[in-house]
Amino acid sequence: MYHKTVSYRTFSVFNYVLMMLVALLCILPLVHVLAVSLSAKSAADGNLVSLWPVHFTTEAYQKTINNPAFIRSIGISVLRTVSGTALTLLLAFLAAYPLSRENAQFKGRNVYAWIFIFAMVFNGGLVPFYIMIQKLHLMGTFAALVLPGAVNIYLTILMMNFFRGIPRELEEASLIDGAGSFRTLFSVFLPVSKPAIATLSLFSIVFHWNSWFDGLLYMNQPSQYPLATFLQTVIIQQDMTTLSLDPKTMELISQKTVNAAQIFIGALPVLLIYPFLQKYFVKGLVIGSVKE
Amino acid sequence: MRQLKRFWPLHLMVLPSLVFLLLFSYLPMAGAVMAFQDYKPALGFTGSAWVGFDNFRLLFEREDSLQVIWNTLLIAVMKIIFNLLVPFAFAIFLNEIRKQLFKRFVQTLVYLPHFLSWVILGGILIDILSTDGGLVNRALGWFGIGPVFFLGDGSWFRFTVIVSDIWKEFGYGTIVFLAALANINPSLYEAAEVDGASRWKQTLNITVPSLMPIAIVVGTLALGNILNAGFDQIFNLYNPLVLEKGDIIDTFVYRTGIVSGDMGLGTAVGLFKSVISMILIVISYRLAYKLANYRIF
């Protein structure tokens, strides 16, 4: 009945407006960047652009795409994201299966669980980690971007909790039919794990695409930087000197519209995959967090 | 032996992950002995001189490191409080929206900033918060306010860091509350309705208490993050002007341990942080288990 009272209706109108404003607030900064990137240089430098392009032009994007350093960093990021995600997914998928068993069904499960848990709550800190990368001769190698984060404990736990939700009868039937553990995992568990795999993929893709600090730490030359590190250096640090670029490219990078274009291209892959995977990650996240 | 025969495929499945954990988690833990050494890269772990707790003493004697610990606590605690309260309130408001399409539209937009990195958002914030014609200061100008030095003044910097973090994460934080709201038994509301309770009364007596268990879990688990004020965010927003009030443990470790090469001190600060964090995480998980029967593994 409360739906019809005057006070609730007033609240309801206020609530719709409020939610609309809050939602818009979350994308207005991005809209602004897009508008700046599509505006003429003079309009952007004169702070005339707010949420709509002024003197529309795609010049900034043309310049960005013609910048070999930028394109190369995209290539490194794509390679890193694809290989890193594949590796993380495989490792999480394999480890989650034994971990999802009860201790009685798999002796040693608790020992493994504690090894994972301890690694999750404690770490040696940044400096010993840095030294370890040096000692393993990974400095300046592509592997330094992919291998150290290959085991994602949080995602392994998500996968493990998902496996626990799969009816045990399914597994038992397969084992009775004579399939081994690997066979059972790949031909019985894999097909029903699509929502979990979609969730893990989204998190892993976003993680790798967004990672910038390891590039800054472990890469010897800017030409090895993934896109996020490249953007960090040119836009945040505005440090053109380390990038050893010719004066023409430097001038181009320091332009406001080009900066905006680069930021927008950097955000684009996340913007594109996110809506498709949204329904999965909400489910996956809830499986992982709200558990009785 | 028969056990091993039957279970060897399962052991084999965990093995790859274990190798990676050994290399990239457990070996660096062993490397933390540097905290007790005057570490010289040329001499290595075995050759460097042992100095006992000197590095830790330095940590508590240097004025800048004490300031850094204080900054970290202040920023992290504010973030923890608001990142609990804002999603809590927002989920309740959003739950009152009846039009499903509109609700989903709002959800899609508010989750988004969580997935963008602080490099991207830092680039955007530096632009829209700038004092010479940034979007925000232009808007404040219409009301006769400003310009405000959001990123160039120490006190404003903290404010900016906390608010922009809430802005980035509040939507994502609502997910667990929305899930809990969806699980409330509708008959509770129906019964309250029959008793003539207004929507406000229903919210106070049904919705809020129903959300308390998950709020307790989120709140206690956040305790473990009390020394994490957000490295990515601070690193991408700070500058020499705000170093005194904006520097946190993680950025301090990077600058002393890696950039300045004072590896012993850097490791000691990092180890100090890791140990305290681990103790807090263990306590918070126990609390969450006791208070709300929450288990992660």
Side-chain angles (χ1 to χ4, degrees), chain A residues 1-2 8 15 25 47 49 105 112 115 123 129 210 232 256 274 278 289 291, chain B residues 7 11 24 26 93 96 108 111 115 127 132 138 167 193 199 232 236 274 294-295:
Chain A
M1 281 306 131
Y2 66 82
Y8 187 78
N15 194 22
L25 201 64
N47 293 314
V49 187
Q105 290 170 310
Y112 290 132
I115 293 174
N123 64 75
F129 199 84
N210 284 343
Q232 212 278 332
K256 214 172 171 181
Y274 159 76
Q278 194 198 339
S289 53
K291 188 162 60 78
Chain B
F7 290 120
H11 291 285
F24 298 110
Y26 285 91
F93 276 93
E96 293 301 316
T108 306
Y111 296 160
F115 291 94
D127 176 48
D132 58 329
R138 261 191 276 162
W167 173 79
E193 193 89 62
R199 191 59 179 171
D232 280 25
N236 284 304
S274 290
Y294 174 89
R295 275 190 317 130

mmCIF file of all heavy atoms in Angstrom, chain A residues 1-2 8 15 25 47 49 105 112 115 123 129 210 232 256 274 278 289 291, chain B residues 7 11 24 26 93 96 108 111 115 127 132 138 167 193 199 232 236 274 294-295:
data_model
loop_
_atom_site.group_PDB
_atom_site.id
_atom_site.type_symbol
_atom_site.label_atom_id
_atom_site.label_comp_id
_atom_site.label_asym_id
_atom_site.label_seq_id
_atom_site.Cartn_x
_atom_site.Cartn_y
_atom_site.Cartn_z
ATOM 1 N N MET A 1 0.820 -1.205 0.000
ATOM 2 C CA MET A 1 0.000 0.000 0.000
ATOM 3 C C MET A 1 0.857 1.260 0.000
ATOM 4 O O MET A 1 0.447 2.298 -0.458
ATOM 5 C CB MET A 1 -0.901 0.012 1.250
ATOM 6 C CG MET A 1 -2.135 -0.888 1.099
ATOM 7 S SD MET A 1 -3.040 -0.478 -0.383
ATOM 8 C CE MET A 1 -3.266 -2.083 -1.107
ATOM 9 N N TYR A 2 2.060 1.110 0.559
ATOM 10 C CA TYR A 2 2.900 2.304 0.691
ATOM 11 C C TYR A 2 3.200 2.951 -0.656
ATOM 12 O O TYR A 2 3.497 4.127 -0.733
ATOM 13 C CB TYR A 2 4.203 1.962 1.424
ATOM 14 C CG TYR A 2 5.123 1.032 0.665
ATOM 15 C CD1 TYR A 2 5.963 1.537 -0.313
ATOM 16 C CD2 TYR A 2 5.127 -0.335 0.906
ATOM 17 C CE1 TYR A 2 6.803 0.693 -1.018
ATOM 18 C CE2 TYR A 2 5.963 -1.173 0.203
ATOM 19 C CZ TYR A 2 6.797 -0.668 -0.766
ATOM 20 O OH TYR A 2 7.629 -1.482 -1.474
ATOM 21 N N TYR A 8 5.731 8.509 -0.192
ATOM 22 C CA TYR A 8 6.562 7.562 -0.919
ATOM 23 C C TYR A 8 6.723 7.976 -2.367
ATOM 24 O O TYR A 8 7.777 7.825 -2.951
ATOM 25 C CB TYR A 8 6.001 6.137 -0.850
ATOM 26 C CG TYR A 8 6.964 5.135 -1.456
ATOM 27 C CD1 TYR A 8 8.073 4.702 -0.736
ATOM 28 C CD2 TYR A 8 6.803 4.688 -2.769
ATOM 29 C CE1 TYR A 8 8.988 3.834 -1.292
ATOM 30 C CE2 TYR A 8 7.722 3.817 -3.339
ATOM 31 C CZ TYR A 8 8.808 3.383 -2.592
ATOM 32 O OH TYR A 8 9.726 2.533 -3.147
ATOM 33 N N ASN A 15 14.241 9.802 -5.745
ATOM 34 C CA ASN A 15 15.171 8.671 -5.846
ATOM 35 C C ASN A 15 15.594 8.416 -7.295
ATOM 36 O O ASN A 15 16.772 8.201 -7.575
ATOM 37 C CB ASN A 15 14.508 7.423 -5.251
ATOM 38 C CG ASN A 15 15.522 6.314 -5.004
ATOM 39 O OD1 ASN A 15 16.717 6.581 -4.885
ATOM 40 N ND2 ASN A 15 15.040 5.092 -4.926
ATOM 41 N N LEU A 25 27.339 10.609 -13.028
ATOM 42 C CA LEU A 25 28.587 11.057 -12.414
ATOM 43 C C LEU A 25 29.718 10.053 -12.662
ATOM 44 O O LEU A 25 30.886 10.412 -12.719
ATOM 45 C CB LEU A 25 28.358 11.223 -10.909
ATOM 46 C CG LEU A 25 29.333 12.124 -10.153
ATOM 47 C CD1 LEU A 25 29.207 13.548 -10.652
ATOM 48 C CD2 LEU A 25 29.046 12.054 -8.657
ATOM 49 N N ASN A 47 40.418 25.408 -22.978
ATOM 50 C CA ASN A 47 39.435 24.919 -22.010
ATOM 51 C C ASN A 47 37.994 25.241 -22.404
ATOM 52 O O ASN A 47 37.191 25.652 -21.586
ATOM 53 C CB ASN A 47 39.721 25.490 -20.618
ATOM 54 C CG ASN A 47 41.012 24.964 -20.057
ATOM 55 O OD1 ASN A 47 41.284 23.759 -20.108
ATOM 56 N ND2 ASN A 47 41.834 25.864 -19.551
ATOM 57 N N VAL A 49 36.120 22.945 -24.042
ATOM 58 C CA VAL A 49 35.380 21.694 -24.187
ATOM 59 C C VAL A 49 34.859 21.245 -22.830
ATOM 60 O O VAL A 49 35.582 21.264 -21.841
ATOM 61 C CB VAL A 49 36.299 20.592 -24.756
ATOM 62 C CG1 VAL A 49 35.509 19.340 -25.062
ATOM 63 C CG2 VAL A 49 37.033 21.104 -25.972
ATOM 64 N N GLN A 105 38.438 -36.821 1.260
ATOM 65 C CA GLN A 105 38.493 -37.408 -0.079
ATOM 66 C C GLN A 105 39.838 -37.217 -0.754
ATOM 67 O O GLN A 105 40.105 -37.804 -1.789
ATOM 68 C CB GLN A 105 37.416 -36.780 -0.970
ATOM 69 C CG GLN A 105 36.018 -37.168 -0.594
ATOM 70 C CD GLN A 105 35.040 -36.321 -1.347
ATOM 71 O OE1 GLN A 105 35.135 -35.104 -1.372
ATOM 72 N NE2 GLN A 105 34.103 -36.973 -2.012
ATOM 73 N N TYR A 112 47.884 -28.199 1.114
ATOM 74 C CA TYR A 112 47.907 -27.303 -0.050
ATOM 75 C C TYR A 112 47.131 -26.018 0.235
ATOM 76 O O TYR A 112 47.581 -24.921 -0.099
ATOM 77 C CB TYR A 112 47.307 -27.999 -1.267
ATOM 78 C CG TYR A 112 48.164 -29.112 -1.821
ATOM 79 C CD1 TYR A 112 47.626 -30.363 -2.115
ATOM 80 C CD2 TYR A 112 49.516 -28.904 -2.069
ATOM 81 C CE1 TYR A 112 48.410 -31.381 -2.629
ATOM 82 C CE2 TYR A 112 50.305 -29.913 -2.587
ATOM 83 C CZ TYR A 112 49.754 -31.146 -2.861
ATOM 84 O OH TYR A 112 50.536 -32.137 -3.374
ATOM 85 N N ILE A 115 49.177 -23.627 2.148
ATOM 86 C CA ILE A 115 50.237 -23.005 1.341
ATOM 87 C C ILE A 115 49.664 -21.832 0.541
ATOM 88 O O ILE A 115 50.256 -20.756 0.464
ATOM 89 C CB ILE A 115 50.880 -24.046 0.402
ATOM 90 C CG1 ILE A 115 51.635 -25.097 1.235
ATOM 91 C CG2 ILE A 115 51.815 -23.377 -0.600
ATOM 92 C CD1 ILE A 115 52.202 -26.252 0.437
ATOM 93 N N ASN A 123 53.422 -11.468 2.432
ATOM 94 C CA ASN A 123 54.398 -11.400 1.343
ATOM 95 C C ASN A 123 55.662 -10.720 1.824
ATOM 96 O O ASN A 123 55.667 -10.027 2.835
ATOM 97 C CB ASN A 123 53.813 -10.679 0.131
ATOM 98 C CG ASN A 123 53.501 -9.240 0.417
ATOM 99 O OD1 ASN A 123 54.391 -8.402 0.492
ATOM 100 N ND2 ASN A 123 52.228 -8.923 0.601
ATOM 101 N N PHE A 129 61.003 -8.876 -3.609
ATOM 102 C CA PHE A 129 60.369 -9.340 -4.839
ATOM 103 C C PHE A 129 61.158 -8.856 -6.057
ATOM 104 O O PHE A 129 61.444 -9.616 -6.984
ATOM 105 C CB PHE A 129 58.935 -8.811 -4.901
ATOM 106 C CG PHE A 129 58.069 -9.562 -5.859
ATOM 107 C CD1 PHE A 129 57.456 -10.740 -5.464
ATOM 108 C CD2 PHE A 129 57.880 -9.104 -7.152
ATOM 109 C CE1 PHE A 129 56.667 -11.452 -6.350
ATOM 110 C CE2 PHE A 129 57.095 -9.817 -8.044
ATOM 111 C CZ PHE A 129 56.492 -10.989 -7.634
ATOM 112 N N ASN A 210 45.390 -3.495 -17.317
ATOM 113 C CA ASN A 210 45.598 -2.312 -16.481
ATOM 114 C C ASN A 210 46.959 -2.255 -15.800
ATOM 115 O O ASN A 210 47.320 -1.228 -15.250
ATOM 116 C CB ASN A 210 44.512 -2.244 -15.401
ATOM 117 C CG ASN A 210 43.186 -1.785 -15.956
ATOM 118 O OD1 ASN A 210 43.131 -1.220 -17.054
ATOM 119 N ND2 ASN A 210 42.116 -2.019 -15.233
ATOM 120 N N GLN A 232 51.308 5.729 -18.357
ATOM 121 C CA GLN A 232 51.748 6.247 -17.062
ATOM 122 C C GLN A 232 52.920 7.201 -17.257
ATOM 123 O O GLN A 232 52.974 8.263 -16.654
ATOM 124 C CB GLN A 232 52.145 5.075 -16.159
ATOM 125 C CG GLN A 232 51.886 5.298 -14.672
ATOM 126 C CD GLN A 232 52.973 6.090 -14.000
ATOM 127 O OE1 GLN A 232 54.121 6.048 -14.427
ATOM 128 N NE2 GLN A 232 52.625 6.830 -12.966
ATOM 129 N N LYS A 256 47.149 18.219 -25.524
ATOM 130 C CA LYS A 256 46.024 17.821 -24.692
ATOM 131 C C LYS A 256 45.082 16.855 -25.406
ATOM 132 O O LYS A 256 44.649 15.858 -24.834
ATOM 133 C CB LYS A 256 45.258 19.082 -24.290
ATOM 134 C CG LYS A 256 44.660 18.996 -22.921
ATOM 135 C CD LYS A 256 44.097 20.342 -22.523
ATOM 136 C CE LYS A 256 43.299 20.192 -21.254
ATOM 137 N NZ LYS A 256 42.714 21.458 -20.825
ATOM 138 N N TYR A 274 33.450 -5.256 -21.020
ATOM 139 C CA TYR A 274 32.767 -5.203 -19.736
ATOM 140 C C TYR A 274 31.255 -5.479 -19.806
ATOM 141 O O TYR A 274 30.747 -6.306 -19.050
ATOM 142 C CB TYR A 274 33.100 -3.863 -19.080
ATOM 143 C CG TYR A 274 32.158 -3.392 -18.035
ATOM 144 C CD1 TYR A 274 32.160 -3.950 -16.774
ATOM 145 C CD2 TYR A 274 31.242 -2.393 -18.317
ATOM 146 C CE1 TYR A 274 31.276 -3.522 -15.819
ATOM 147 C CE2 TYR A 274 30.359 -1.955 -17.368
ATOM 148 C CZ TYR A 274 30.370 -2.524 -16.123
ATOM 149 O OH TYR A 274 29.494 -2.093 -15.183
ATOM 150 N N GLN A 278 29.282 -8.641 -17.795
ATOM 151 C CA GLN A 278 28.767 -8.122 -16.531
ATOM 152 C C GLN A 278 27.896 -9.116 -15.783
ATOM 153 O O GLN A 278 28.058 -9.332 -14.594
ATOM 154 C CB GLN A 278 27.994 -6.841 -16.793
ATOM 155 C CG GLN A 278 27.730 -6.063 -15.519
ATOM 156 C CD GLN A 278 26.633 -5.062 -15.692
ATOM 157 O OE1 GLN A 278 26.327 -4.659 -16.800
ATOM 158 N NE2 GLN A 278 26.023 -4.649 -14.608
ATOM 159 N N SER A 289 31.933 -14.415 -2.523
ATOM 160 C CA SER A 289 31.968 -13.582 -1.326
ATOM 161 C C SER A 289 30.874 -13.897 -0.321
ATOM 162 O O SER A 289 31.131 -13.991 0.864
ATOM 163 C CB SER A 289 31.900 -12.109 -1.723
ATOM 164 O OG SER A 289 30.791 -11.891 -2.548
ATOM 165 N N LYS A 291 28.973 -16.452 1.260
ATOM 166 C CA LYS A 291 28.917 -17.897 1.322
ATOM 167 C C LYS A 291 28.606 -18.291 2.754
ATOM 168 O O LYS A 291 29.142 -17.756 3.693
ATOM 169 C CB LYS A 291 30.272 -18.471 0.883
ATOM 170 C CG LYS A 291 30.294 -19.963 0.732
ATOM 171 C CD LYS A 291 31.491 -20.350 -0.111
ATOM 172 C CE LYS A 291 32.788 -19.900 0.525
ATOM 173 N NZ LYS A 291 33.206 -20.756 1.621
ATOM 174 N N PHE B 7 45.669 -40.955 -5.952
ATOM 175 C CA PHE B 7 45.524 -39.503 -5.947
ATOM 176 C C PHE B 7 46.609 -38.752 -6.706
ATOM 177 O O PHE B 7 46.613 -37.541 -6.717
ATOM 178 C CB PHE B 7 45.452 -38.990 -4.510
ATOM 179 C CG PHE B 7 44.182 -39.350 -3.812
ATOM 180 C CD1 PHE B 7 44.179 -40.108 -2.658
ATOM 181 C CD2 PHE B 7 42.963 -38.941 -4.350
ATOM 182 C CE1 PHE B 7 42.986 -40.436 -2.035
ATOM 183 C CE2 PHE B 7 41.774 -39.260 -3.739
ATOM 184 C CZ PHE B 7 41.786 -40.030 -2.572
ATOM 185 N N HIS B 11 47.527 -34.514 -7.138
ATOM 186 C CA HIS B 11 48.770 -33.841 -6.736
ATOM 187 C C HIS B 11 49.400 -33.142 -7.934
ATOM 188 O O HIS B 11 49.897 -32.026 -7.833
ATOM 189 C CB HIS B 11 49.765 -34.847 -6.137
ATOM 190 C CG HIS B 11 49.342 -35.381 -4.811
ATOM 191 N ND1 HIS B 11 49.421 -34.646 -3.653
ATOM 192 C CD2 HIS B 11 48.819 -36.577 -4.456
ATOM 193 C CE1 HIS B 11 48.963 -35.364 -2.635
ATOM 194 N NE2 HIS B 11 48.591 -36.551 -3.105
ATOM 195 N N PHE B 24 57.588 -17.152 -6.707
ATOM 196 C CA PHE B 24 57.214 -15.741 -6.649
ATOM 197 C C PHE B 24 56.534 -15.322 -5.352
ATOM 198 O O PHE B 24 56.207 -14.156 -5.175
ATOM 199 C CB PHE B 24 56.334 -15.378 -7.852
ATOM 200 C CG PHE B 24 57.040 -15.567 -9.162
ATOM 201 C CD1 PHE B 24 56.676 -16.588 -10.025
ATOM 202 C CD2 PHE B 24 58.101 -14.740 -9.514
ATOM 203 C CE1 PHE B 24 57.339 -16.765 -11.230
ATOM 204 C CE2 PHE B 24 58.771 -14.912 -10.715
ATOM 205 C CZ PHE B 24 58.393 -15.928 -11.566
ATOM 206 N N TYR B 26 57.096 -17.524 -2.005
ATOM 207 C CA TYR B 26 57.863 -18.002 -0.849
ATOM 208 C C TYR B 26 59.338 -17.606 -0.919
ATOM 209 O O TYR B 26 59.931 -17.293 0.111
ATOM 210 C CB TYR B 26 57.669 -19.509 -0.679
ATOM 211 C CG TYR B 26 56.303 -19.812 -0.094
ATOM 212 C CD1 TYR B 26 55.208 -20.042 -0.917
ATOM 213 C CD2 TYR B 26 56.106 -19.788 1.271
ATOM 214 C CE1 TYR B 26 53.952 -20.268 -0.383
ATOM 215 C CE2 TYR B 26 54.851 -20.015 1.829
ATOM 216 C CZ TYR B 26 53.773 -20.258 0.998
ATOM 217 O OH TYR B 26 52.539 -20.458 1.527
ATOM 218 N N PHE B 93 18.944 2.590 -1.569
ATOM 219 C CA PHE B 93 18.253 3.505 -2.489
ATOM 220 C C PHE B 93 17.959 2.817 -3.820
ATOM 221 O O PHE B 93 16.856 2.890 -4.355
ATOM 222 C CB PHE B 93 19.099 4.765 -2.743
ATOM 223 C CG PHE B 93 18.927 5.820 -1.693
ATOM 224 C CD1 PHE B 93 19.782 5.878 -0.603
ATOM 225 C CD2 PHE B 93 17.914 6.756 -1.781
ATOM 226 C CE1 PHE B 93 19.635 6.833 0.372
ATOM 227 C CE2 PHE B 93 17.750 7.729 -0.815
ATOM 228 C CZ PHE B 93 18.612 7.762 0.275
ATOM 229 N N GLU B 96 15.027 0.486 -4.125
ATOM 230 C CA GLU B 96 13.676 1.050 -4.204
ATOM 231 C C GLU B 96 13.252 1.319 -5.641
ATOM 232 O O GLU B 96 12.105 1.674 -5.881
ATOM 233 C CB GLU B 96 13.593 2.347 -3.394
ATOM 234 C CG GLU B 96 13.744 2.164 -1.891
ATOM 235 C CD GLU B 96 12.677 1.245 -1.303
ATOM 236 O OE1 GLU B 96 11.498 1.400 -1.673
ATOM 237 O OE2 GLU B 96 13.032 0.358 -0.498
ATOM 238 N N THR B 108 25.000 -0.837 -14.393
ATOM 239 C CA THR B 108 26.071 -0.944 -15.393
ATOM 240 C C THR B 108 27.026 0.239 -15.310
ATOM 241 O O THR B 108 28.237 0.076 -15.343
ATOM 242 C CB THR B 108 25.472 -1.023 -16.812
ATOM 243 O OG1 THR B 108 24.527 -2.087 -16.830
ATOM 244 C CG2 THR B 108 26.543 -1.294 -17.843
ATOM 245 N N TYR B 111 29.198 0.364 -11.812
ATOM 246 C CA TYR B 111 30.252 -0.649 -11.649
ATOM 247 C C TYR B 111 31.493 -0.298 -12.459
ATOM 248 O O TYR B 111 32.585 -0.753 -12.175
ATOM 249 C CB TYR B 111 29.804 -2.043 -12.136
ATOM 250 C CG TYR B 111 28.663 -2.678 -11.394
ATOM 251 C CD1 TYR B 111 27.927 -3.707 -11.983
ATOM 252 C CD2 TYR B 111 28.320 -2.274 -10.104
ATOM 253 C CE1 TYR B 111 26.877 -4.311 -11.316
ATOM 254 C CE2 TYR B 111 27.270 -2.881 -9.442
ATOM 255 C CZ TYR B 111 26.546 -3.891 -10.048
ATOM 256 O OH TYR B 111 25.518 -4.500 -9.402
ATOM 257 N N PHE B 115 36.656 -0.938 -12.957
ATOM 258 C CA PHE B 115 37.448 -1.703 -13.922
ATOM 259 C C PHE B 115 38.472 -0.862 -14.677
ATOM 260 O O PHE B 115 39.232 -1.384 -15.482
ATOM 261 C CB PHE B 115 36.522 -2.429 -14.911
ATOM 262 C CG PHE B 115 35.750 -3.522 -14.255
ATOM 263 C CD1 PHE B 115 34.473 -3.306 -13.767
ATOM 264 C CD2 PHE B 115 36.309 -4.775 -14.087
ATOM 265 C CE1 PHE B 115 33.771 -4.310 -13.125
ATOM 266 C CE2 PHE B 115 35.619 -5.792 -13.454
ATOM 267 C CZ PHE B 115 34.350 -5.558 -12.972
ATOM 268 N N ASP B 127 43.553 16.168 -15.296
ATOM 269 C CA ASP B 127 43.013 17.132 -16.253
ATOM 270 C C ASP B 127 41.786 17.857 -15.699
ATOM 271 O O ASP B 127 41.747 19.085 -15.688
ATOM 272 C CB ASP B 127 42.662 16.417 -17.561
ATOM 273 C CG ASP B 127 41.995 17.362 -18.552
ATOM 274 O OD1 ASP B 127 42.537 18.466 -18.742
ATOM 275 O OD2 ASP B 127 40.946 17.011 -19.107
ATOM 276 N N ASP B 132 43.952 25.559 -13.725
ATOM 277 C CA ASP B 132 43.765 26.463 -14.860
ATOM 278 C C ASP B 132 42.793 25.856 -15.868
ATOM 279 O O ASP B 132 43.173 25.260 -16.872
ATOM 280 C CB ASP B 132 45.102 26.846 -15.520
ATOM 281 C CG ASP B 132 45.867 25.627 -15.993
ATOM 282 O OD1 ASP B 132 45.723 24.573 -15.355
ATOM 283 O OD2 ASP B 132 46.586 25.731 -17.013
ATOM 284 N N ARG B 138 36.054 24.861 -13.205
ATOM 285 C CA ARG B 138 35.165 25.699 -14.009
ATOM 286 C C ARG B 138 33.760 25.668 -13.431
ATOM 287 O O ARG B 138 33.107 26.691 -13.282
ATOM 288 C CB ARG B 138 35.141 25.194 -15.459
ATOM 289 C CG ARG B 138 36.059 25.975 -16.394
ATOM 290 C CD ARG B 138 35.774 25.586 -17.824
ATOM 291 N NE ARG B 138 36.505 24.379 -18.203
ATOM 292 C CZ ARG B 138 36.187 23.626 -19.255
ATOM 293 N NH1 ARG B 138 35.140 23.933 -20.017
ATOM 294 N NH2 ARG B 138 36.898 22.564 -19.550
ATOM 295 N N TRP B 167 34.404 7.317 -5.263
ATOM 296 C CA TRP B 167 33.785 7.432 -6.580
ATOM 297 C C TRP B 167 34.081 6.190 -7.428
ATOM 298 O O TRP B 167 33.209 5.638 -8.093
ATOM 299 C CB TRP B 167 34.320 8.681 -7.289
ATOM 300 C CG TRP B 167 33.883 8.805 -8.708
ATOM 301 C CD1 TRP B 167 32.671 9.250 -9.161
ATOM 302 C CD2 TRP B 167 34.647 8.454 -9.864
ATOM 303 N NE1 TRP B 167 32.636 9.186 -10.519
ATOM 304 C CE2 TRP B 167 33.828 8.711 -10.983
ATOM 305 C CE3 TRP B 167 35.923 7.949 -10.074
ATOM 306 C CZ2 TRP B 167 34.257 8.477 -12.287
ATOM 307 C CZ3 TRP B 167 36.347 7.724 -11.367
ATOM 308 C CH2 TRP B 167 35.515 7.990 -12.459
ATOM 309 N N GLU B 193 3.547 -4.744 5.979
ATOM 310 C CA GLU B 193 2.560 -3.983 5.214
ATOM 311 C C GLU B 193 1.180 -4.109 5.871
ATOM 312 O O GLU B 193 0.481 -3.120 6.071
ATOM 313 C CB GLU B 193 2.529 -4.569 3.786
ATOM 314 C CG GLU B 193 1.801 -3.738 2.785
ATOM 315 C CD GLU B 193 2.735 -2.733 2.143
ATOM 316 O OE1 GLU B 193 3.689 -3.158 1.495
ATOM 317 O OE2 GLU B 193 2.486 -1.545 2.301
ATOM 318 N N ARG B 199 7.034 2.600 4.344
ATOM 319 C CA ARG B 199 8.250 2.077 3.708
ATOM 320 C C ARG B 199 9.488 2.431 4.528
ATOM 321 O O ARG B 199 10.437 1.667 4.613
ATOM 322 C CB ARG B 199 8.364 2.650 2.284
ATOM 323 C CG ARG B 199 9.430 1.980 1.449
ATOM 324 C CD ARG B 199 9.167 0.485 1.312
ATOM 325 N NE ARG B 199 10.177 -0.171 0.488
ATOM 326 C CZ ARG B 199 10.280 -1.479 0.354
ATOM 327 N NH1 ARG B 199 9.434 -2.273 0.991
ATOM 328 N NH2 ARG B 199 11.218 -2.006 -0.398
ATOM 329 N N ASP B 232 48.506 2.337 -6.154
ATOM 330 C CA ASP B 232 48.265 2.758 -7.539
ATOM 331 C C ASP B 232 47.711 4.177 -7.612
ATOM 332 O O ASP B 232 48.149 4.997 -8.407
ATOM 333 C CB ASP B 232 47.263 1.812 -8.222
ATOM 334 C CG ASP B 232 47.938 0.546 -8.695
ATOM 335 O OD1 ASP B 232 48.984 0.189 -8.116
ATOM 336 O OD2 ASP B 232 47.428 -0.081 -9.639
ATOM 337 N N ASN B 236 49.850 7.612 -8.821
ATOM 338 C CA ASN B 236 49.445 8.297 -10.043
ATOM 339 C C ASN B 236 48.882 9.690 -9.815
ATOM 340 O O ASN B 236 48.624 10.423 -10.769
ATOM 341 C CB ASN B 236 48.421 7.454 -10.810
ATOM 342 C CG ASN B 236 49.094 6.299 -11.526
ATOM 343 O OD1 ASN B 236 50.009 6.500 -12.323
ATOM 344 N ND2 ASN B 236 48.666 5.085 -11.238
ATOM 345 N N SER B 274 53.938 -5.926 6.121
ATOM 346 C CA SER B 274 53.416 -7.272 5.855
ATOM 347 C C SER B 274 53.022 -7.993 7.137
ATOM 348 O O SER B 274 51.978 -8.644 7.194
ATOM 349 C CB SER B 274 54.462 -8.112 5.113
ATOM 350 O OG SER B 274 54.625 -7.639 3.815
ATOM 351 N N TYR B 294 31.420 -16.515 8.326
ATOM 352 C CA TYR B 294 32.015 -16.374 7.011
ATOM 353 C C TYR B 294 33.291 -17.199 6.907
ATOM 354 O O TYR B 294 34.152 -17.140 7.780
ATOM 355 C CB TYR B 294 32.326 -14.902 6.750
ATOM 356 C CG TYR B 294 33.084 -14.646 5.470
ATOM 357 C CD1 TYR B 294 32.404 -14.434 4.280
ATOM 358 C CD2 TYR B 294 34.470 -14.630 5.460
ATOM 359 C CE1 TYR B 294 33.093 -14.211 3.103
ATOM 360 C CE2 TYR B 294 35.164 -14.405 4.286
ATOM 361 C CZ TYR B 294 34.480 -14.208 3.118
ATOM 362 O OH TYR B 294 35.159 -13.988 1.961
ATOM 363 N N ARG B 295 33.395 -17.992 5.840
ATOM 364 C CA ARG B 295 34.614 -18.764 5.593
ATOM 365 C C ARG B 295 35.063 -18.511 4.168
ATOM 366 O O ARG B 295 34.246 -18.426 3.258
ATOM 367 C CB ARG B 295 34.348 -20.259 5.746
ATOM 368 C CG ARG B 295 34.446 -20.760 7.183
ATOM 369 C CD ARG B 295 34.420 -22.264 7.199
ATOM 370 N NE ARG B 295 33.429 -22.822 6.289
ATOM 371 C CZ ARG B 295 33.709 -23.779 5.412
ATOM 372 N NH1 ARG B 295 34.914 -24.257 5.316
ATOM 373 N NH2 ARG B 295 32.755 -24.244 4.625
#
